[in-house]
Amino acid sequence: MRSSNIIYLALSASLVSAWAPSSRLQNRVHTALQMNNSRKAREMRETFVSSMEEPYPVTKASEVEGSVDDDDLVPLVSCIAKAADMRKAEDIVCIRVSKLTTTTSFVVLCSGNSRPQNQAIAAAIQDEVLENFGEKYELRGPKPEGNADSGWILLDFGSVMCHIMTPRSRLFYDIEGKWKKGEILNVDDILVPNSAGGSSSSGASADIDENDPFWS
């Protein structure tokens, strides 16, 4: 190797070493990003809560015909529940609220225990709905509302709203309680029972932000 090339490589190595960020600086950047994400997560949840507290347009129960099991939206609700179940979502609950409000007909709730899991649940639901129903049921808006960092993802298909939440955020905001007068659609026959000591929460600790009370 020519001596000029050796000198060039040596200088390049020294420059890279000089400009490479120290581990302390990297940690500071990572902490700053976490704090920023935590603020965004809180803002996202506050937006959801404020929208939930607004009065819903009320419908008359007599205008809704048939039992919950015979509702025309059962195939869509079942598709959503099954897709969530495939990604190991927990505590899947489907509530018909069409006798209570004109905003939507069904509310589906499920819980995930890590950011990657909640993202995977949301993606699986969108993929399955698109595959089974095409463009018949599309999200309102270009993308899901909320994100995994907020601990609350909302998929709004118009007639059906699906809430993907952490166990803590779900307990705190008590959406089931808000719709306690709704009708439960039993989807146990399409769900796969979780095995004892399953891995649905495995790896969650690596994603927990201790500053965020809604990640458990």
Side-chain angles (χ1 to χ4, degrees):
M1 183 181 293
R2 296 174 57 183
S3 59
S4 59
N5 289 339
I6 295 175
I7 295 173
Y8 173 77
L9 290 173
L11 288 172
S12 298
S14 63
L15 286 172
V16 169
S17 176
W19 284 100
S22 65
S23 59
R24 181 178 298 178
L25 177 59
Q26 289 176 329
N27 289 337
R28 289 178 179 174
V29 171
H30 180 66
T31 300
L33 288 173
Q34 281 187 324
M35 291 175 64
N36 187 48
N37 286 337
S38 181
R39 284 195 297 271
K40 289 182 178 179
R42 285 193 295 270
E43 292 171 359
M44 194 82 67
R45 287 193 294 266
E46 289 170 1
T47 299
F48 282 169
V49 172
S50 62
S51 65
M52 288 177 58
E53 290 175 347
E54 295 176 358
Y56 279 91
V58 178
T59 188
K60 294 181 180 179
S62 59
E63 295 176 354
V64 181
E65 298 179 353
S67 69
V68 62
D69 295 314
D70 296 327
D71 197 290
D72 292 341
L73 289 168
V74 167
L76 173 60
V77 175
S78 299
C79 176
I80 291 172
K82 190 171 183 179
D85 187 54
M86 287 192 304
R87 291 298 181 179
K88 306 299 183 184
E90 299 177 351
D91 300 324
I92 300 172
V93 176
C94 307
I95 310 171
R96 184 166 78 163
V97 298
S98 54
K99 292 184 179 181
L100 307 175
T101 178
T102 58
T103 302
T104 190
S105 296
F106 274 87
V107 173
V108 178
L109 300 108
C110 62
S111 302
N113 291 294
S114 72
R115 289 171 173 81
Q117 184 188 12
N118 283 15
Q119 289 172 336
I121 293 170
I125 290 172
Q126 293 176 83
D127 290 344
E128 288 297 312
V129 170
L130 179 61
E131 181 177 340
N132 287 276
F133 300 98
E135 297 181 356
K136 183 177 181 179
Y137 299 110
E138 293 183 325
L139 287 179
R140 289 180 176 176
K143 59 183 180 180
E145 298 181 47
N147 53 46
D149 285 326
S150 70
W152 188 349
I153 300 174
L154 171 62
L155 301 177
D156 184 355
F157 292 101
S159 299
V160 179
M161 290 186 177
C162 177
H163 298 267
I164 305 162
M165 309 178 76
T166 67
R168 284 188 183 182
S169 64
R170 185 168 169 179
L171 181 64
F172 183 83
Y173 293 115
D174 188 25
I175 297 179
E176 285 102 323
K178 180 175 179 62
W179 299 114
K180 62 184 178 181
K181 294 183 179 180
E183 302 168 274
I184 299 295
L185 174 65
N186 191 326
V187 292
D188 289 345
D189 58 328
I190 64 172
L191 304 182
V192 178
N194 289 333
S195 60
S199 59
S200 60
S201 61
S202 63
S205 59
D207 262 320
I208 293 174
D209 180 355
E210 294 180 355
N211 295 318
D212 187 342
F214 295 108
W215 275 105
S216 59

